[in-house]
Amino acid sequence: MEYSALNTNSTDAVPRKFDIKSLNQEELITDISLLPRLPCGHHIPPNYLIAWIRSQLEHKHTVFTCPRFLQPKQRLCGASFSYQTVCELVQLKPKTQQYFEETISELTALTLCDCKKCPGCHSYVERAEPNNLCVQCSICTSNKLRIYQFCWLCQREWRGPYANAKHCANEGCGQSKVSQGNSTSSLKWCHHDFKTRTLQSEKDDIYMSMDKSDSRTRLALLINNVEFEQESDRAGAEVDEKNMRILLENLGYTVFVLRNLTSQGMEAAMADFSQRGEHLQSDSCFVVIMSHGTQEGICGVSYGDDQEDILPVDSIFHHLNTPSCPALRDKPKVILIQACRGGEKGDVWVADSAPISRRKKEHREKDFICLRSCTPDTVSYRNTKTGSVFIQTVVQTLNEHAHEDHIEELFRKVLKTFKNSYPDQMPCKDRTTLSRKFYLFPGL
C-alpha cells in the first residue's frame, strides 16, 4: 500500500533556497512562508507552480498569472509574472526546463509570423501566401528530393490543385469534425429536438443547462499524477489524460491539466479552482483525479514508506461545497477518481494502489455526483499501454450515450460494463446528492 508524506520536493521541482525535506507534514501546511513567493506576495507549492506553468503553456500563454485566491477582494489574484521568475524560485529538471523554453519560443514565434509545424519534418514553416492553403516545406523538399507541400488547414501532405483558399483534396479537409486521437470512439452530438423535448417534458426534474455560447464558461480540473518520487510511475496514465481531456473539451469544458502534484499541491489547486470566476457563467463542472490511492485517500507524488502524502477525498467535496464555492451552488459537480482504495493485485495489469444577495438555508454538500474507480479496500486496474479500464470505460460510455442520457444513467452503464466485462473491479458512486437529472447535451 502507498502512503505518501507531504514533500514539496516533487518530481518536477526542487526548491532552491529552502530545504522542504527537513520539515514534517504539519510544519509544511502551517508555515507557508517557506514556500516559493510570487511577486504578488502569494506563496505556492513548487510542484503546483510547475504544473500551473505547464497548463498555462498548453493554453498558449507565455505571460503567466498567479492562480491563488485573493481573499480581501474575493477573487483570483491574476497578477502576471515571467518565466524568469519561475527559474528564480524553483530549480527545474533539465527535461522540464527544455520543454518550457522550447514551448515559449514556439509560442512567441507564432505571435510574430504566420507559421505552423510541417507534418513531414515538424519544423516551423511560414506561409508566404495568406490566401493559399498549399504551403511548401523546403526541408522536406530537400530531404525527399521532390517538392513537398502540405495543407495549412488539415496539416496533411497536400492533395489537389496547387492554389486553394478553402481546402485541399484530402478527405475531410475543411469539414467540421471532432478529432478523437486515440480515444476509443467519437462523441455523438445531441440533436436540438431531443434537447427541446427533454426540457419541455422534464423541466422540473432536470438541472438548468446553459446553451453553448461565448458567454458560457464551463471549467474542468484534471489532476494526473504520473511520476512518483518513491513509488512506481503510473505508466499508461498519459493515455487516460489525453482521452479524458478530449472528451471534456468536446463537451464544452475548458480543461486545466495539472500533473505530478503532492497532496499540498492538490489541495491548493482545488482551492483555487473552486474560486474561479468562470463558474458564475457555467452550469456545471468536472473534477478528475488520477493517481495512486489508499484507504485514506489519494496519493501525492511524494508518497513513500516514510512520508504520508495523502489528500483526503473529503477535501474535494469541501472546496466545492455550498459555502466554499457559492458560484456552483445548485449546479452539478461531477467528480471522477481513478485510484485504488486499498489492496494489491495484478500481473499484466498494474494496480493503482499505494504500499450571495438573498439568504436561505442550503445544505453545505449537495448537487454532487462522484464515481470512484473501485469499491472500498479494493484495487483499480491500469494497463501500461492503453491506460486504466475505468477511464477507458467512462470515456467510451460518454462518447456513445451522453447525447441521450443523463449523468446517473451514464454512470449506471459504466457499472454495467464492469459487471459484464471486468468482474475483478467494480466502480461505485460515492456521496451522490444530485436532486435532479443532469444532461450534458453535447454540442449544444
Side-chain angles (χ1 to χ4, degrees):
M1 296 178 62
E2 295 180 343
Y3 301 92
S4 102
L6 204 72
N7 184 338
T8 53
N9 181 13
S10 73
T11 55
D12 276 339
V14 178
R16 182 174 287 176
K17 296 183 179 179
F18 44 85
D19 184 10
I20 294 294
K21 284 187 175 181
S22 64
L23 302 174
N24 61 37
Q25 183 173 352
E26 183 178 359
E27 290 172 329
L28 260 177
I29 294 175
T30 57
D31 194 354
I32 63 171
S33 64
L34 293 169
L35 298 176
R37 184 177 182 271
L38 295 175
C40 60
H42 283 115
H43 294 271
I44 184 170
N47 56 89
Y48 179 25
L49 175 60
I50 299 304
W52 178 249
I53 297 303
R54 185 183 291 271
S55 178
Q56 293 257 283
L57 290 174
E58 289 173 350
H59 286 90
K60 303 189 183 304
H61 300 307
T62 55
V63 176
F64 311 116
T65 57
C66 173
R68 306 317 311 270
F69 184 57
L70 199 60
Q71 189 67 40
K73 297 185 178 181
Q74 291 294 295
R75 63 172 175 79
L76 290 179
C77 174
S80 61
F81 60 93
S82 66
Y83 174 67
Q84 286 70 27
T85 298
V86 179
C87 294
E88 293 169 2
L89 292 174
V90 293
Q91 183 175 335
L92 301 175
K93 281 191 170 184
K95 184 178 179 181
T96 302
Q97 183 173 352
Q98 180 181 357
Y99 168 76
F100 283 177
E101 293 177 359
E102 287 181 353
T103 305
I104 291 172
S105 298
E106 291 174 3
L107 292 174
T108 302
L110 290 173
T111 64
L112 300 176
C113 58
D114 191 15
C115 58
K116 285 187 178 180
K117 280 187 177 181
C118 166
C121 63
H122 303 293
S123 62
Y124 276 91
V125 179
E126 185 174 3
R127 180 164 63 159
E129 301 176 56
N131 294 321
N132 188 8
L133 294 175
C134 182
V135 180
Q136 180 172 321
C137 175
S138 58
I139 295 177
C140 286
T141 297
S142 176
N143 291 339
K144 297 177 183 292
L145 301 179
R146 63 176 176 83
I147 295 177
Y148 180 87
Q149 298 166 327
F150 67 92
C151 177
W152 196 256
L153 185 62
C154 71
Q155 292 285 283
R156 289 177 285 180
E157 186 169 0
W158 183 265
R159 294 181 185 276
Y162 168 73
N164 199 315
K166 294 184 178 180
H167 59 80
C168 68
N170 281 308
E171 183 179 357
C173 182
Q175 299 176 7
S176 176
K177 68 175 186 175
V178 177
S179 174
Q180 283 297 112
N182 293 327
S183 189
T184 52
S185 60
S186 59
L187 179 66
K188 294 182 179 179
W189 300 123
C190 178
H191 293 293
H192 281 280
D193 57 348
F194 173 80
K195 182 176 182 180
T196 301
R197 289 197 311 270
T198 303
L199 292 175
Q200 290 176 347
S201 63
E202 303 184 60
K203 61 180 180 179
D204 295 327
D205 197 33
I206 64 174
Y207 283 95
M208 179 200 70
S209 175
M210 299 177 68
D211 291 333
K212 184 178 180 180
S213 67
D214 292 337
S215 61
R216 188 183 72 180
T217 52
R218 287 177 169 176
L219 295 185
L221 176 65
L222 198 168
I223 296 175
N224 186 21
N225 290 338
V226 181
E227 301 174 357
F228 287 75
E229 295 171 9
Q230 300 185 52
E231 300 300 322
S232 60
D233 291 345
R234 299 180 57 253
E238 299 90 343
V239 180
D240 287 343
E241 177 189 308
K242 178 181 179 181
N243 290 340
M244 181 56 69
R245 178 174 188 165
I246 290 172
L247 170 67
L248 292 172
E249 288 178 344
N250 289 341
L251 288 171
Y253 292 85
T254 298
V255 185
F256 294 99
V257 179
L258 301 175
R259 302 182 188 94
N260 302 327
L261 299 180
T262 61
S263 60
Q264 188 179 41
M266 289 189 283
E267 183 88 38
M270 281 300 311
D272 293 338
F273 177 76
S274 70
Q275 301 303 317
R276 293 196 67 91
E278 293 96 326
H279 293 312
L280 289 169
Q281 298 300 319
S282 176
D283 55 13
S284 57
C285 82
F286 270 77
V287 172
V288 183
I289 301 181
M290 302 182 287
S291 187
H292 287 310
T294 72
Q295 292 173 326
E296 288 75 23
I298 303 165
C299 295
V301 294
S302 293
Y303 175 86
D305 292 336
D306 58 341
Q307 301 199 39
E308 195 167 311
D309 186 15
I310 297 176
L311 176 75
V313 174
D314 279 351
S315 179
I316 304 171
F317 288 85
H318 167 73
H319 287 298
L320 295 176
N321 68 18
T322 303
S324 299
C325 185
L328 285 174
R329 189 183 68 183
D330 298 325
K331 301 174 183 179
K333 296 162 278 286
V334 184
I335 301 169
L336 299 171
I337 301 174
Q338 161 61 32
C340 283
R341 302 174 72 177
E344 293 185 10
K345 189 178 181 181
D347 186 9
V348 176
W349 299 96
V350 180
D352 269 343
S353 62
I356 0 209
S357 60
R358 291 184 303 170
R359 296 181 61 85
K360 65 176 181 177
K361 282 189 176 181
E362 295 275 1
H363 196 279
R364 66 172 49 249
E365 184 177 303
K366 65 185 186 69
D367 308 309
F368 281 94
I369 184 166
C370 176
L371 188 66
R372 303 190 66 171
S373 59
C374 58
T375 53
D377 304 319
T378 61
V379 296
S380 185
Y381 292 105
R382 171 174 38 83
N383 186 284
T384 58
K385 300 294 184 182
T386 60
S388 67
V389 179
F390 175 66
I391 296 297
Q392 290 176 48
T393 306
V394 169
V395 170
Q396 182 173 3
T397 302
L398 267 66
N399 276 331
E400 289 290 328
H401 302 288
H403 70 290
E404 59 184 2
D405 290 331
H406 57 84
I407 196 73
E408 290 204 73
E409 175 62 17
L410 292 169
F411 285 178
R412 187 194 66 80
K413 287 181 175 177
V414 170
L415 269 60
K416 184 177 180 180
T417 299
F418 273 83
K419 177 181 180 295
N420 295 335
S421 304
Y422 307 107
D424 291 336
Q425 180 179 335
M426 177 55 69
C428 70
K429 289 191 289 185
D430 188 23
R431 294 169 69 161
T432 295
T433 54
L434 292 184
S435 58
R436 287 168 284 174
K437 297 175 182 177
F438 172 43
Y439 288 91
L440 288 159
F441 298 125
L444 300 178

